[in-house]
Amino acid sequence: MSVRQIILTALCGLALISCDKGNKTSSPTTSPITSAEGTSDTKKVTEVLSPFSVTVEEDKTFQGLPALQSFVLATSSDQSKWLMFAGRTNGMHAFGKDNYEEKSFPTQYFNNQLYVYDLSSKVLSQMSADAIEQPIGLMFKATNLQHLQQGNSLYIAGGYGENTIAKSNNMLERWTTYAYMVKIDVDGMIKAIEDNNQSALNGCILWGEDEAVRATGGELYQLGDYFYLAGGHVYKGIFSLKKDGSITPTSQTYLDAVHRFKLSEKNGQLILSDLTKVTDGKPDNETQFRRRDLPVTPTFQLLNGTLHEAIAMYAGVFTAPDNKVPGLAANDNWVWPIYIYNDGSYHIDESYEQQSNVYSAANFVVYDPATEVLYTTILGGIMHENGNDFSNNVLTIKRPLGDGKPSTSIQQTPMDLNKFYGAEANMIYSTQYKMAVIQSTIFNLSAMDEGSTTLIGHFYGGIEALTANPGGFGEGKSFASNKVFKVSITKQGKAEN
């Protein structure tokens, strides 16, 4: 096994590099009217008209923001302020042959600050995460947490980091994936940070502990009364590849499921109950639920003419080293989406294969009620069809809900940027044209005027790669980004259905 393969199979949810695809040499189509359509056995190129074009441009009115990736972001109730914490302040990991953790995940690059950014005054307030009481304060300095905002409540779960209060020096206990679930009063925490009020800060936090939320590299959603932790894995230890080829002890276990549960509050604690696991029940080397660091988005299920909110799990990584899933290699990225429905059932769509934008990245979803077609757009990120690690590719996945036709890939015009962005960024959505009576953000295309341009939102932070294959972080390679990009769509004529 090569050094690269060892690193890919051993890394925790912090890994952000795509598997080699061997002799894959095809280049992506940048025309907004070309798509790949077919099944897992055959593919053909057809013409499909995208109902909108996508524009991404840097918004330089945002000044003084910290450079962060794989972090948590929430907005105040009036949308006037941002709350940010956790994540890392360096770029993509490297591939060193010795002392790997020092070169790739140095402790000084774990963000230990709580930030509030005032969009009007451009004032950045900050407070040390050490002001939060232990053990829960550990989460606010972790990376790749699962997080979800519902109104003024921000939920965070899991994450990977250094357990500085551990009594043992055992690396499997010192570096770990947390099993905490936290509910945060967003407006209260913003005010506490601005006032530098430690007591008020801790008063905004309600938490509990449960093994069901021990994960990193997944995503958190809510459908009805249930929360869904989609994807991720449990990683313990810190990876180090020595000169003699040996590696330090680590432990990595994928969830191999979506965890579905309820949350309640009792005696000042957050209580998890009614846990079920959405899974195919297959072994780790056969299940398609073995995924992390993937785009997870809201979607719809159309039943008897009624829309039901659902979750889409797109691509992600990695198949097992001894993979037995037909059609995929060992340590490969996934290509088939999994749809999770609000009754706890699921569907694996093997009629569509996703060949780019496979890692977690900024994204948005648009639905056209007139044609019953849903469009999921992933902005940049990691894995390009030409084999590069990073790209500014804009992929729109067109999914007809009503007529049984297969999903197709629409290659929009790439982001016209001089570096590579999108991976592990956070998206802040506009409230205009959001579909009513759903908990997530899906935009209503039918409500937009033909020829009009609509602000979808902004994405901030993530990895800023200076080249398509940076191979690490630092000068000439990659950094955490402090830039903000405005995302808009322009509605075109009617799309082919």
Side-chain angles (χ1 to χ4, degrees):
M1 182 179 288
S2 69
V3 170
R4 178 180 173 88
Q5 288 173 316
I6 293 173
I7 291 171
L8 288 177
T9 55
L11 276 178
C12 68
L14 317 179
L16 285 171
I17 186 71
S18 57
C19 289
D20 280 332
K21 287 297 190 177
N23 52 5
K24 179 180 284 187
T25 58
S26 61
S27 296
T29 303
T30 58
S31 167
I33 62 167
T34 302
S35 71
E37 182 182 69
T39 68
S40 56
D41 298 315
T42 61
K43 281 193 172 66
K44 61 181 179 178
V45 174
T46 62
E47 286 196 349
V48 58
L49 179 63
S50 172
F52 57 85
S53 60
V54 181
T55 302
V56 178
E57 56 186 337
E58 184 178 358
D59 190 335
K60 295 184 179 180
T61 64
F62 292 84
Q63 299 292 326
L65 282 160
L68 298 171
Q69 62 121 325
S70 304
F71 63 108
V72 176
L73 185 148
T75 60
S76 61
S77 296
D78 61 3
Q79 306 291 310
S80 67
K81 296 176 182 179
W82 293 352
L83 168 68
M84 302 92 71
F85 57 85
R88 298 200 312 282
T89 62
N90 63 334
M92 171 193 170
H93 62 76
F95 286 98
K97 293 186 177 180
D98 185 47
N99 204 17
Y100 179 75
E101 72 278 14
E102 292 291 332
K103 296 178 180 178
S104 299
F105 302 108
T107 56
Q108 67 266 31
Y109 292 117
F110 278 75
N111 173 41
N112 66 353
Q113 296 294 305
L114 313 171
Y115 294 103
V116 170
Y117 184 70
D118 189 309
L119 302 182
S120 177
S121 68
K122 312 302 181 188
V123 170
L124 181 71
S125 303
Q126 66 187 83
M127 193 172 180
S128 172
D130 292 331
I132 297 176
E133 297 172 356
Q134 301 293 11
I136 208 61
L138 296 170
M139 285 185 70
F140 290 81
K141 297 185 286 186
T143 189
N144 270 35
L145 291 81
Q146 292 74 211
H147 55 99
L148 166 72
Q149 184 173 4
Q150 295 287 28
N152 186 49
S153 296
L154 171 65
Y155 297 91
I156 61 174
Y160 169 85
E162 183 182 11
N163 184 356
T164 55
I165 63 173
K167 296 180 180 179
S168 172
N169 287 325
N170 184 319
M171 294 298 284
L172 295 178
E173 297 178 20
R174 184 82 178 179
W175 289 90
T176 190
T177 300
Y178 300 120
Y180 301 120
M181 183 85 185
V182 180
K183 180 182 178 182
I184 298 167
D185 171 356
V186 176
D187 288 344
M189 181 167 282
I190 286 174
K191 187 176 188 307
I193 294 170
E194 290 179 326
D195 294 343
N196 196 32
N197 188 328
Q198 183 174 0
S199 176
L201 179 71
N202 284 282
C204 298
I205 298 170
L206 186 70
W207 64 278
E209 185 174 8
D210 197 290
E211 285 298 315
V213 295
R214 190 186 297 276
T216 182
E219 298 289 347
L220 190 63
Y221 272 82
Q222 185 176 7
L223 300 177
D225 295 331
Y226 284 89
F227 290 82
Y228 293 73
L229 199 165
H233 62 162
V234 178
Y235 190 82
K236 297 180 180 181
I238 190 162
F239 184 79
S240 181
L241 182 63
K242 302 300 183 182
K243 290 179 179 178
D244 62 2
S246 64
I247 61 174
T248 55
T250 58
S251 170
Q252 182 185 41
T253 305
Y254 281 73
L255 266 62
D256 291 349
V258 173
H259 290 181
R260 181 176 185 257
F261 54 89
K262 288 183 178 180
L263 288 176
S264 60
E265 301 173 18
K266 184 178 180 180
N267 299 327
Q269 286 189 314
L270 205 56
I271 306 297
L272 187 149
S273 63
D274 295 349
L275 171 67
T276 57
K277 295 183 179 181
V278 182
T279 179
D280 55 16
K282 295 180 180 180
D284 181 69
N285 62 353
E286 296 180 19
T287 178
Q288 291 202 38
F289 282 82
R290 189 188 200 273
R291 307 190 187 200
R292 60 173 172 86
D293 299 307
L294 69 165
V296 181
T297 72
T299 189
F300 283 133
Q301 180 186 29
L302 184 61
L303 288 176
N304 301 318
T306 301
L307 289 173
H308 299 269
E309 196 171 0
I311 303 167
M313 301 172 64
Y314 287 107
V317 292
F318 286 111
T319 59
D322 58 342
N323 173 63
K324 293 184 179 180
V325 178
L328 295 175
N331 302 317
D332 209 347
N333 62 272
W334 296 96
V335 295
W336 303 299
I338 303 176
Y339 302 118
I340 309 296
Y341 302 128
N342 62 10
D343 61 357
S345 63
Y346 71 91
H347 171 64
I348 299 174
D349 183 7
E350 294 190 357
S351 71
Y352 171 73
E353 294 186 0
Q354 182 180 339
Q355 301 294 345
S356 67
N357 306 69
V358 304
Y359 273 82
S360 175
N363 59 74
F364 65 90
V365 181
V366 173
Y367 180 66
D368 187 354
T371 60
E372 297 182 336
V373 176
L374 185 134
Y375 301 87
T376 300
T377 299
I378 305 171
L379 303 166
I382 296 176
M383 190 179 161
H384 199 284
E385 286 181 301
N386 63 10
N388 287 334
D389 291 331
F390 286 81
S391 83
N392 283 327
N393 184 52
V394 177
L395 171 67
T396 294
I397 301 168
K398 174 188 176 184
R399 183 183 173 218
L401 298 183
D403 58 12
K405 289 183 178 180
S407 297
T408 55
S409 292
I410 302 173
Q411 298 292 353
Q412 302 274 4
T413 302
M415 297 185 289
D416 185 17
L417 306 172
N418 59 2
K419 299 172 187 175
F420 300 93
Y421 297 93
E424 296 296 340
N426 270 297
M427 192 85 185
I428 305 96
Y429 297 104
S430 168
T431 57
Q432 188 179 24
Y433 300 121
K434 176 183 174 181
M435 295 196 69
V437 202
I438 64 170
Q439 293 168 298
S440 302
T441 297
I442 297 178
F443 294 95
N444 187 343
L445 187 66
S446 295
M448 303 175 194
D449 294 329
E450 189 172 317
S452 66
T453 297
T454 298
L455 176 66
I456 292 296
H458 294 80
F459 74 81
Y460 155 58
I463 296 176
E464 177 183 284
L466 279 62
T467 69
N469 298 286
F473 66 89
E475 186 175 354
K477 296 180 179 180
S478 70
F479 301 92
S481 172
N482 67 348
K483 294 182 174 60
V484 177
F485 295 90
K486 182 169 66 174
V487 181
S488 304
I489 64 172
T490 300
K491 185 175 179 179
Q492 312 291 342
K494 292 184 179 180
E496 292 182 9
N497 192 11

